[in-house]
């Protein structure tokens, strides 16, 4: 498939690159040209798309989520994290079948497409169900091990690593576990040895709440970050989801060990977990990405809302309106997520990179006037502006319609049937 985008404005997200006007060409799953006009000899298009001055940029990366938790959207709201998790979420999750998880992940993927999200970093119960859903719908997913004291072993995590990385070019897998507070120390140390043997990064929920950090001090006389580093979990890097309650020593460890922090501002605010110090994290040189967390704790899988909150909450917590510039936040939502997820082919728009591209409609009231397009995206942008979402060179969402080989209503009906069965 050869597609030509012309009359476009383009933000490549490459370092020091500026907004440019011109064309972008895609052949199969790759970008083959970005420039001012049609390259000589480039003919025989399967489709030519007049962008009409609309904006092309790399797709957003949802670097932490639990897609199949769509069935708990608006089900157990307005509760603190521990009560919400142990009394509401875990009992309902115990009722899920593998078929349920696949259908619920598909619902999440439809929502990602409407938000310009071209890849998600998912952690949930049965990763193979999600891998199959991604393969079927054509969505790009990185899956993360989620073992803890309630289920899963290090041996199963290793087996899953090799199994899922063979499912599809769209699907990859990273070593991980749920969190320090849900996993025995012996199990964590065993996973650290596996990561060392495989030379692989490790990912987990990290320093999400004050209670979590205090209890870790009680167990190990160290913060979660320092404890995990002491047993070798971060020897080959990795990532921490949330990173709200981190001190300077924690940040220094993450910077030194190349541990990305994936901030989830909407979920952290809704669960009253706190506000991550994104200014301090970025000042330390830590790669910061953005995630929505699951639809049970957010409740929207909306990267525009995450970008807005990632900018304004640090301004509030630092009492500094100049804190957290919009350009830095847009980088978190695109390049930062790609780095955290290991998607080095999907970080920026450039020749030879994967064609994971979104088009934002600039002809909407919230994008006018164009004093600063990047600030418009972060401060006033919304799903309303997502005109097209392309993954791996295939347009999966355009002008409000899905092209995923499935009828959306069928997916919606399945999701409602699942939660109705459980009540």
């Amino acid at each position: 498939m050869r597609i030509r985008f012309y009359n476009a404005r383009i933000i490549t997200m490459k370092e020091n690159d500026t907004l440019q006007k011109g064309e972008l060409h895609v052949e199969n799953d790759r970008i083959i040209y970005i420039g001012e006009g049609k390259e000589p000899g480039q003919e025989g298009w399967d489709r030519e798309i007049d962008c009409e001055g609309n904006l092309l940029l790399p797709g957003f990366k949802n670097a932490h989520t639990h897609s199949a938790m769509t069935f708990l959207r608006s089900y157990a709201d307005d509760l603190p994290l521990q009560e919400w998790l142990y009394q509401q979420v875990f009992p309902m999750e115990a009722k899920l079948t593998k078929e349920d998880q696949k259908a619920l992940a598909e619902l999440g993927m439809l929502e990602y497409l409407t938000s310009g999200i071209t890849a998600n970093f998912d952690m949930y119960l049965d990763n193979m169900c999600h891998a199959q859903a991604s393969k079927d719908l054509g969505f790009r997913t990185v899956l993360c091990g989620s073992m803890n004291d309630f289920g899963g072993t290090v041996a199963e995590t290793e087996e899953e690593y090799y199994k899922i990385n063979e499912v599809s070019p769209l699907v990859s897998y990273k070593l991980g576990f749920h969190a320090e507070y849900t996993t025995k120390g012996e199990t964590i140390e065993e996973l650290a040895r596996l990561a060392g043997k495989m030379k692989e990064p490790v990912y987990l929920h990290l320093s999400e709440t004050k209670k979590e950090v205090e209890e870790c001090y009680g167990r190990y006389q160290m913060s979660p970050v320092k404890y995990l580093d002491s047993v070798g979990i971060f020897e080959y890097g990795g990532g921490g989801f949330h990173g709200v309650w981190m001190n300077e020593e924690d940040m220094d460890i993450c910077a030194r060990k190349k541990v990305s922090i994936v901030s989830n501002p909407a979920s952290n605010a809704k669960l009253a977990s706190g506000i991550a110090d994104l200014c301090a994290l970025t000042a330390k040189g830590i790669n910061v990405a953005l995630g929505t967390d699951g639809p049970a704790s957010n409740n929207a899988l909306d990267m525009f809302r995450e970008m807005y909150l990632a900018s304004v909450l640090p301004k509030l917590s630092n009492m500094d309106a100049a804190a957290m510039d919009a350009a830095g936040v847009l980088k978190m939502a695109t390049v930062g997520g790609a780095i955290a997820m290991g998607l080095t082919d999907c970080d920026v728009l450039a020749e030879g990179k994967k064609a994971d591209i979104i088009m934002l409609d600039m002809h909407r009231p919230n994008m006018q006037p164009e004093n600063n397009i990047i600030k418009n995206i972060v401060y006033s942008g919304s799903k309303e502006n997502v005109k097209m979402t392309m993954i791996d060179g295939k347009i999966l969402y355009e002008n409000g319609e899905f092209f995923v080989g499935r009828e959306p209503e069928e997916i919606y009906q399945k999701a409602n049937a699942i939660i109705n069965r459980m009540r």
Side-chain angles (χ1 to χ4, degrees):
M1 189 76 170
R2 302 181 76 249
I3 300 176
R4 174 194 177 207
F5 295 94
Y6 64 100
N7 288 338
R9 284 183 284 183
I10 304 167
I11 297 178
T12 68
M13 292 307 299
K14 291 192 289 187
E15 199 71 34
N16 300 318
D17 214 358
T18 56
L19 177 73
Q20 58 182 282
K21 296 181 180 180
E23 302 197 3
L24 184 150
H25 303 166
V26 172
E27 185 169 350
N28 298 323
D29 63 337
R30 300 279 174 176
I31 298 168
I32 60 170
Y33 175 75
I34 298 176
E36 292 184 358
K38 188 163 66 172
E39 192 176 39
Q42 289 279 14
E43 304 294 343
W45 304 105
D46 295 292
R47 186 176 175 192
E48 297 185 67
I49 298 174
D50 185 350
C51 297
E52 300 177 326
N54 289 316
L55 181 69
L56 301 178
L57 71 159
F60 302 130
K61 313 299 185 296
N62 187 353
H64 178 58
T65 184
H66 313 283
S67 301
M69 291 182 83
T70 45
F71 78 115
L72 293 177
R73 190 199 309 269
S74 305
Y75 173 79
D77 294 326
D78 308 320
L79 294 170
L81 176 63
Q82 299 293 326
E83 183 181 345
W84 170 81
L85 190 62
Y86 284 93
Q87 296 181 25
Q88 298 292 333
V89 173
F90 286 165
M92 291 296 283
E93 287 180 331
K95 302 176 184 179
L96 286 171
T97 68
K98 291 184 177 183
E99 292 75 17
D100 291 343
Q101 291 179 58
K102 183 175 183 294
L104 295 165
E106 290 175 345
L107 175 59
M109 290 173 200
L110 294 186
E111 190 171 1
Y112 296 144
L113 292 172
T114 67
S115 186
I117 293 169
T118 56
N120 72 306
F121 199 177
D122 209 275
M123 173 191 277
Y124 206 51
L125 303 175
D126 191 309
N127 283 317
M128 186 53 73
C129 295
H130 194 118
Q132 192 59 51
S134 292
K135 180 180 178 182
D136 290 352
L137 266 61
F139 196 83
R140 192 179 306 284
T141 292
V142 181
L143 293 159
C144 179
S146 60
M147 68 164 190
N148 52 52
D149 292 343
F150 305 100
T153 66
V154 173
E156 289 169 348
T157 298
E158 182 176 13
E159 179 183 355
E160 195 171 56
Y161 174 93
Y162 291 108
K163 189 175 181 181
I164 289 182
N165 276 318
E166 293 297 322
V167 168
S168 165
L170 288 168
V171 178
S172 55
Y173 181 92
K174 300 293 184 183
L175 299 180
F177 64 105
H178 179 261
E180 177 277 325
Y181 67 91
T182 58
T183 314
K184 291 184 179 68
E186 309 91 86
T187 307
I188 294 172
E189 291 176 23
E190 186 183 352
L191 182 63
R193 290 192 292 272
L194 174 64
K197 181 183 79 171
M198 298 177 68
K199 296 180 171 56
E200 285 288 326
V202 179
Y203 300 80
L204 73 150
H205 294 93
L206 183 65
S207 301
E208 182 176 358
T209 66
K210 185 178 181 182
K211 183 175 187 288
E212 170 195 338
V213 174
E214 289 174 344
E215 290 180 348
C216 186
Y217 271 104
R219 279 187 290 272
Y220 304 111
Q221 295 74 56
M222 291 181 276
S223 70
V225 174
K226 188 172 182 180
Y227 164 68
L228 294 167
D229 183 53
S230 75
V231 299
I233 278 290
F234 298 133
E235 204 58 35
Y236 290 92
F241 308 129
H242 300 291
V244 176
W245 293 89
M246 294 173 62
N247 59 34
E248 188 168 358
E249 183 181 24
D250 294 337
M251 294 182 194
D252 287 337
I253 290 170
C254 289
R256 186 170 67 251
K257 292 298 179 71
K258 299 190 184 307
V259 176
S260 294
I261 295 298
V262 181
S263 181
N264 304 261
S267 177
N268 293 153
K270 183 170 179 281
L271 291 172
S273 299
I275 301 172
D277 194 345
L278 302 185
C279 297
L281 290 166
T282 53
K284 289 284 187 182
I286 296 168
N287 178 58
V288 178
L290 297 180
T292 61
D293 209 352
S297 65
N298 188 317
N299 297 9
L301 304 174
D302 183 349
M303 193 54 68
F304 291 94
R305 186 162 71 171
E306 302 304 327
M307 288 192 292
Y308 180 80
L309 291 173
S311 180
V312 301
L313 290 178
K315 297 179 191 301
L316 180 63
S317 60
N318 287 280
M319 295 302 293
D320 179 6
M324 216 62 263
D325 181 74
V329 171
L330 184 60
K331 182 179 179 181
M332 292 176 190
T334 52
V335 177
I339 292 170
M341 297 162 70
L343 297 176
T344 55
D345 264 3
C346 310
D347 53 349
V348 300
L349 300 185
E351 293 173 16
K353 294 283 188 177
K354 285 283 190 178
D356 287 12
I357 305 164
I358 61 175
M359 185 192 300
L360 299 186
D361 191 344
M362 304 303 294
H363 303 288
R364 305 296 298 164
N366 65 332
M367 286 291 144
Q368 299 296 323
E370 296 178 358
N371 292 316
N372 187 306
I373 287 178
I374 288 177
K375 293 186 188 296
N376 278 358
I377 294 169
V378 172
Y379 294 130
S380 62
S382 75
K383 289 182 174 183
E384 168 191 9
N385 300 109
V386 179
K387 194 171 180 64
M388 181 214 73
T389 304
M390 168 185 276
I391 299 174
D392 218 40
K394 298 180 177 64
I395 294 174
L396 302 186
Y397 177 77
E398 187 176 19
N399 297 324
E401 291 188 59
F402 296 98
F403 303 94
V404 295
R406 299 280 300 283
E407 288 299 322
E409 286 298 329
E410 177 190 345
I411 295 173
Y412 305 156
Q413 288 169 12
K414 279 190 177 181
N416 280 290
I418 289 165
I419 189 63
N420 288 335
R421 185 195 77 224
M422 293 179 177
R423 287 195 178 114

